[in-house]
Amino acid sequence: MGRRKKGDVVDGWVCLDKPFEMGSTEAVSRIRRLFNAQKAGHAGTLDPLASGVLPIALGEATKTVPMMMEAKKVYRFTINWGVSTDSVDREGEIIGRSDVRPTLDQVKAALPAFVGEIDQTPPRFSAIKVDGARAYDLARDGVDFELPSRRVVIHSAEATAAPDADHVEIRILTGKGVYVRSLARDLALALGAEGHVSALRRERVGPFSTENAVTLDSLEEMVHRGAASEGLLPVATALDDIPDLAVTEQDAFSLRQGRPIVLLPRQVETLKTRLSDGSRTVSAFQGQTLVALCQLRAGRLEPDRVFNL
């Protein structure tokens, strides 16, 4: 007999408003313990020095995490002018100083060069692996290494305020793989200044935002009064941008068995008009219950991931 999994069957998403100075792994562990869930994972690491939206998947929701890794993200951050650090944040060692203080108008004029598909080199203090070791470990040990640049997409960037001469606040909408600290480093270089990220908050990851986020304190209060489910969002929340199709009980059974189902021509045409960017992914529902994530091929839905909900 297989070993029985520890914990309860809990399926859904927690949109956590992660507090400052807590790591993403610790946040997942805290949520998993609060719900006594068998399985948990997160969609997109958020640095300990950053706060904001960290979507945490429980149970069957972990099967939708790959969807969230591709989701657009919104960050709001502050650059502190005058000092550069090796980690490009306020915890690093100072590596440069300057009296240059770019104005809000100068920042606004420089930002368009960083919008669109650009080449970006990740910061040395990052979780990227170099010959099996984390870059931040190598950087702390003083090892000399280079990280290759990568193509990333920044959909928009706006300088929203300059509270004083030493700081500027910026809001960006990005694709996956963008490093805010790299953007701050490169922007400072373009302006002939020294600077580092002094505050960073993630406001959105796909359908998850600060508007539907919950804090650890509020979750603990819900659990204390036996209302933990109030802090859960449906598994299908992560599939907000994916076309859905209602299927019959018989078709749902087939999909759960890993067998494809044949669609009517009108169903195929309707789905094609709703699919975008060459995607073939469709979510199948029986009533309000998510059955499977499927691929539309040759007039059939072929199940990729089946959900036991």
Side-chain angles (χ1 to χ4, degrees):
M1 291 180 62
R3 181 177 297 176
R4 186 175 181 273
K5 292 183 180 179
K6 293 181 179 179
D8 300 327
V9 176
V10 182
D11 302 311
W13 282 92
V14 173
C15 180
L16 180 67
D17 190 337
K18 187 190 77 66
F20 173 72
E21 290 189 331
M22 176 179 285
S24 296
T25 301
E26 181 186 351
V28 171
S29 297
R30 290 279 295 273
I31 296 300
R32 183 175 183 176
R33 288 197 300 271
L34 274 176
F35 284 86
N36 192 35
Q38 291 180 354
K39 191 174 183 181
H42 66 76
T45 299
L46 193 58
D47 287 348
L49 292 182
S51 67
V53 174
L54 179 65
I56 296 177
L58 300 177
E60 291 293 277
T62 57
K63 296 178 180 178
T64 64
V65 165
M67 304 293 107
M68 285 297 92
M69 303 306 286
E70 303 293 326
K72 293 178 181 177
K73 302 173 179 67
V74 173
Y75 295 93
R76 188 181 297 275
F77 63 100
T78 301
I79 297 179
N80 189 161
W81 301 119
V83 172
S84 290
T85 68
D86 55 4
S87 59
V88 206
D89 60 33
R90 63 191 191 190
E91 283 201 338
E93 298 290 330
I94 295 175
I95 58 174
R97 295 182 183 273
S98 170
D99 293 330
V100 176
R101 299 294 188 272
T103 65
L104 182 60
D105 286 341
Q106 287 174 323
V107 175
K108 287 181 176 180
L111 277 175
F114 298 93
V115 174
E117 191 172 318
I118 63 172
D119 289 317
Q120 187 184 72
T121 302
R124 289 168 60 82
F125 284 80
S126 63
I128 293 174
K129 285 194 173 182
V130 179
D131 296 329
R134 297 291 184 186
Y136 52 65
D137 289 328
L138 297 176
R140 290 192 187 105
D141 291 341
V143 177
D144 186 27
F145 66 95
E146 295 292 333
L147 291 174
S149 65
R150 54 176 66 180
R151 293 295 272 181
V152 298
V153 177
I154 297 179
H155 298 283
S156 64
E158 178 187 10
T160 57
D164 53 52
D166 291 330
H167 300 87
V168 65
E169 295 174 359
I170 298 173
R171 186 175 187 267
I172 60 173
L173 171 65
T174 79
K176 69 174 183 178
V178 171
Y179 281 93
V180 171
R181 286 176 293 143
S182 291
L183 174 59
R185 176 199 64 205
D186 297 342
L187 179 61
L189 180 63
L191 290 167
E194 303 288 346
H196 65 276
V197 176
S198 58
L200 171 60
R201 181 165 175 79
R202 188 159 66 188
E203 298 183 333
R204 179 176 292 276
V205 178
F208 301 99
S209 72
T210 51
E211 296 170 1
N212 58 9
V214 292
T215 64
L216 272 174
D217 287 343
S218 62
L219 277 174
E220 288 171 351
E221 188 271 332
M222 292 175 195
V223 171
H224 181 71
R225 59 184 172 85
S229 60
E230 292 180 10
L232 272 182
L233 296 171
V235 172
T237 303
L239 310 180
D240 187 54
D241 292 334
I242 296 177
D244 59 287
L245 178 70
V247 299
T248 64
E249 183 177 353
Q250 181 177 345
D251 283 344
F253 179 79
S254 295
L255 290 172
R256 289 192 177 102
Q257 297 298 309
R259 299 196 300 268
I261 61 173
V262 178
L263 302 182
L264 297 172
R266 60 178 174 79
Q267 291 176 307
V268 175
E269 290 308 311
T270 299
L271 287 174
K272 283 182 177 179
T273 62
R274 297 170 61 196
L275 290 166
S276 60
D277 299 326
S279 173
R280 295 174 177 269
T281 304
V282 176
S283 54
F285 284 80
Q286 183 190 353
Q288 299 298 313
T289 304
L290 177 63
V291 175
L293 275 175
C294 310
Q295 295 297 307
L296 176 63
R297 294 192 179 96
R300 306 194 308 172
L301 277 191
E302 301 177 357
D304 260 351
R305 294 183 180 88
V306 175
F307 297 88
N308 301 306
L309 299 171

